[in-house]
Amino acid sequence: MDHFKQINDTLGHAAGDAVIAATAERLSTWAGSRAAVGRLGGDEFAVTLRITPERRQARLAQLVHRLARPVVLADHCIVQVAASIGAAAADTLATTDLSALQRAADTALYQGKHTGRPVLATTDDLTVASVNGRRAGLPGTHTLERTA
């Protein structure tokens, strides 16, 4: 989710929780019953499903639109939301390794951050260095030094 920290910081954690819940519901509805949808943590989600190459761009554009709908909170306050989307396709990247696909999708996501458009990973995204499955430099990617 784009600007999620700002929502939490200005409107409170209940508002943030409502945005997370709305996002999860929207992802699940969009993906359908044959998909796996999960929250990675914070404001990050992952979806695994098959989309034919012919429908891929249209489906991803549909997802951007669905996730950008405002969220109405319990107090009737309306919160504007948006999401950046990175996607990776096994047929495009010639791999079915889920870790590699997730890293490539994460890299694609940051290439399209705040653009309002989904970015499909390319084979170049498979070679981006990662730590603990995330692009180096992101939270959770530090390594501990051992001393003898």
Side-chain angles (χ1 to χ4, degrees), residues 18 25 53 75-76 82 88 90 142:
E25 185 276 323
D75 64 359
H76 305 289
H142 64 281

Side-chain angles (χ1 to χ4, degrees), residues 74-135:
D75 64 359
H76 305 289
C77 178
I78 296 173
V79 179
Q80 299 299 323
V81 294
S84 295
I85 298 171
D91 62 325
T92 302
L93 301 180
T95 184
T96 57
D97 179 321
L98 287 177
S99 293
L101 291 167
Q102 184 175 352
R103 283 193 312 273
D106 186 58
T107 300
L109 178 145
Y110 281 93
Q111 291 169 6
K113 193 80 171 157
H114 305 294
T115 65
R117 62 180 179 83
V119 176
L120 187 60
T122 67
T123 53
D124 290 342
D125 297 322
L126 288 172
T127 61
V128 173
S130 69
V131 177
N132 300 327
R134 304 214 47 215
R135 287 183 312 109

